[in-house]
Amino acid sequence: MSIFDIFAKLEQERKQQDSAAGPIEWLVVGLGNPGSKYENTRHNAGFRALDSYCQKTGQRIDRMKFKALVGEGTFGGKRVLFMKPQTFMNLSGEAVRDAADFYKIPPERIVVLFDDISLDVGRLRVRAKGSAGGQNGVKNIIYQLSSDQFPRVKIGIGAKPHPDYDLADWVLSKFQGEDETKIQEASQHAMEAAEEIVRNGPAAAAQKFNGK
């Protein structure tokens, strides 16, 4: 058997496993900007939450599809597609829309994790729906889906240190010291909150995680 035959067999087995596992029922989307330049910046809190989950569980999010890095898995008892859009933050909705259209996923079954400057570093807030609140990635998702009825997990990254500080510079800055420790813990809790949304709904997740 040649190396090509081996790869073909492995791919066939993977497809069979995916098919046996059932259809995708939910999308779990972490927002951020692609590239090493943006790694561990405040704006990449959504990416970081997914990365934390991958490190803990061995889940892989490494296939390019729908303008995003994706990976399939079981999460909260459901089959989900984990997504890290690669379009840069302001166009995140394009990837979400493409995946939602393909799998016929309604907004109510799309969980989005993202940074929020109105929350202290490491604080979480779960919402079942709502406006973008100034977050451009969420704004684009609302535009592309023509709906704001998707649950979300907001991850606190802290407010600007003073009013004159440029917002773009702030959200693209990296966590340091105590903030780094807080965001590590928050990344894990954010995925636990997302899993609770999938399992029991956003109200249950909000009761359990808001303010954590």
Side-chain angles (χ1 to χ4, degrees):
M1 181 179 289
S2 72
I3 188 67
F4 300 105
D5 293 331
I6 293 172
F7 280 126
K9 183 179 180 181
L10 289 173
E11 179 65 13
Q12 182 180 23
E13 289 176 352
R14 184 189 66 77
K15 289 181 178 179
Q16 289 174 344
Q17 289 172 355
D18 288 346
S19 176
I24 296 297
E25 301 172 88
W26 286 74
L27 305 181
V28 177
V29 185
L31 300 189
N33 287 309
S36 58
K37 175 182 177 181
Y38 300 101
E39 285 181 5
N40 296 329
T41 58
R42 295 174 191 272
H43 219 18
N44 273 33
F47 275 13
R48 186 158 180 170
L50 288 182
D51 291 342
S52 173
Y53 180 76
C54 289
Q55 291 168 7
K56 181 180 179 180
T57 66
Q59 171 68 46
R60 297 177 65 177
I61 306 175
D62 57 3
R63 290 190 292 121
M64 195 68 187
K65 192 175 184 180
F66 308 120
K67 302 176 185 175
L69 287 174
V70 304
E72 298 180 17
T74 301
F75 188 69
K78 305 293 184 180
R79 287 293 294 171
V80 308
L81 185 75
F82 299 100
M83 300 183 68
K84 294 169 64 177
Q86 300 294 292
T87 53
F88 287 93
M89 181 67 78
N90 292 3
L91 298 177
S92 298
E94 295 181 0
V96 177
R97 177 205 62 211
D98 288 352
D101 287 349
F102 183 84
Y103 292 111
K104 297 179 172 56
I105 306 295
E108 294 80 7
R109 287 194 269 123
I110 301 173
V111 183
V112 182
L113 301 97
F114 59 92
D115 58 291
D116 191 319
I117 63 170
S118 70
L119 298 173
D120 292 340
V121 176
R123 289 283 182 177
L124 301 181
R125 182 172 293 157
V126 177
R127 289 286 184 267
K129 57 185 178 180
S131 68
Q135 217 282 359
N136 286 333
V138 177
K139 181 179 180 180
N140 192 249
I141 293 173
I142 292 172
Y143 171 74
Q144 294 291 345
L145 296 180
S146 297
S147 174
D148 64 358
Q149 302 293 299
F150 52 87
R152 69 282 307 267
V153 180
K154 302 179 181 184
I155 305 168
I157 62 168
K160 296 188 297 182
H162 54 79
D164 294 334
Y165 202 104
D166 183 76
L167 180 59
D169 288 343
W170 176 244
V171 298
L172 295 179
S173 66
K174 298 195 176 186
F175 294 100
Q176 303 289 339
E178 185 179 357
D179 283 356
E180 170 63 24
T181 301
K182 290 179 179 178
I183 203 65
Q184 287 180 12
E185 183 176 357
S187 296
Q188 296 181 24
H189 291 321
M191 289 302 291
E192 292 169 6
E195 189 168 16
E196 183 70 13
I197 291 172
V198 172
R199 191 181 299 277
N200 295 313
Q207 184 175 21
K208 188 173 182 180
F209 288 94
N210 278 3
K212 189 170 183 178

